[in-house]
Amino acid sequence: MNTLRKIELNNIEASQQVSKAHKKQLGQFFTSAKTAEFMASLFSTELENIKLLDPGCGNAILSSAFIMGLDSKNIKSIQLTLYEIDKSLEAGINDSIFMMKSSLGSSTSFNAKLKWESFLSEHAFQDNERYSHAILNPPYFKLNKFSKESNLLNEIGIKSPNAYSAFMMLAITKLENDGELVAIIPRSFTNGPYYKPFREFILNNTSIEHIHVFDSRSSVFKTDNVLQEVIIIKCKKNSNQKEVVLTRSKDDSFIISRSEKLS
């Protein structure tokens, strides 16, 4: 069995064991193996030393897809930092870390740091580590503008109505120059005044390199029976905006039905 498929089965089992209220509280929707593989394929990975950030990692399927897809003979070191608050996922995350390490050659050093705290916690804000890559399926829930998280975001000039946009913006601030981020997020931010600060932040701090859209709302998070219009977006920090690759598929089979470049 494919190792990513094993992690996907862990996701399905974890999803079945918790209530809808639990998922809603955490904004937790697990990523499929095919989606994780597609997201990981969008990165450039020519660096000898990689620092990967996976905030809100779930069972670490995104990190696993990234690392298992590398040609490790050209990579000297990989430093992985994972954030998660759901302790029920501990066994699954540890399994994923073991499989990641096992997939690498002996010449590549691998270090994984698992932080049992929210990516929007005070400790995370104080962490000065910078990353070459970030991959994320962030949680989806509204942020109270008077919450501790919103206050911490305001202190660094970030205004965000939702956890997913906050995760995105904070992850971007933690990237090195030319660092790359790939995320799967709702399409809701693309229009209207509500997410204008988020759009401006992305455009002012990154170049958008790739956007993937889906024809179906029901297939991407089908394990959790979620109807959500989502996109996959790749951004590069502090880089001049060039052409954007736009791809489209019917569902998470990622059979590309349309591909074009937008100026």
Side-chain angles (χ1 to χ4, degrees), residues 215-232:
D215 291 337
S216 170
R217 292 192 302 156
S218 61
S219 64
V220 182
F221 296 118
K222 52 182 175 287
T223 299
D224 295 298
N225 294 317
V226 173
L227 286 174
Q228 176 67 264
E229 288 187 294
V230 297
I231 66 169
I232 293 171

Side-chain angles (χ1 to χ4, degrees), residues 83-130:
Y83 283 85
E84 182 52 58
I85 61 173
D86 189 349
K87 290 284 286 187
S88 71
L89 302 176
E90 185 170 11
I93 295 172
N94 288 332
D95 285 346
S96 297
I97 291 173
F98 176 80
M99 287 186 280
M100 285 184 242
K101 186 178 179 70
S102 300
S103 73
L104 299 170
S106 59
S107 61
T108 303
S109 68
F110 175 70
N111 178 52
K113 293 188 291 186
L114 174 55
K115 301 190 177 187
W116 290 110
E117 59 186 331
S118 168
F119 187 53
L120 302 184
S121 70
E122 190 169 359
H123 288 155
F125 278 81
Q126 293 170 349
D127 184 2
N128 293 321
E129 189 70 69
R130 292 295 175 263

Side-chain angles (χ1 to χ4, degrees), residues 7-22:
I7 302 172
E8 184 177 51
L9 291 176
N10 286 340
N11 285 346
I12 293 170
E13 183 179 358
S15 179
Q16 291 173 342
Q17 289 180 351
V18 298
S19 65
K20 289 184 179 179
H22 177 84

Side-chain angles (χ1 to χ4, degrees), residues 39 42-44 131-136 168-169 171-172 175-183 185 189 198-199 201-211 231-241 244:
M39 291 173 65
L42 299 180
F43 284 103
S44 303
Y131 301 90
S132 59
H133 300 80
I135 189 165
L136 54 161
M168 278 278 290
M169 288 189 279
I172 288 168
L175 287 176
E176 302 168 348
N177 283 338
D178 292 326
E180 298 180 348
L181 176 148
V182 176
I185 56 175
F189 79 93
F198 178 42
R199 293 195 298 272
F201 184 94
I202 291 176
L203 295 173
N204 290 335
N205 291 279
T206 75
S207 62
I208 299 172
E209 295 199 338
H210 194 125
I211 294 174
I231 66 169
I232 293 171
I233 185 169
K234 177 190 177 185
C235 301
K236 189 171 185 178
K237 187 170 181 180
N238 294 339
S239 178
N240 293 328
Q241 184 64 59
V244 180

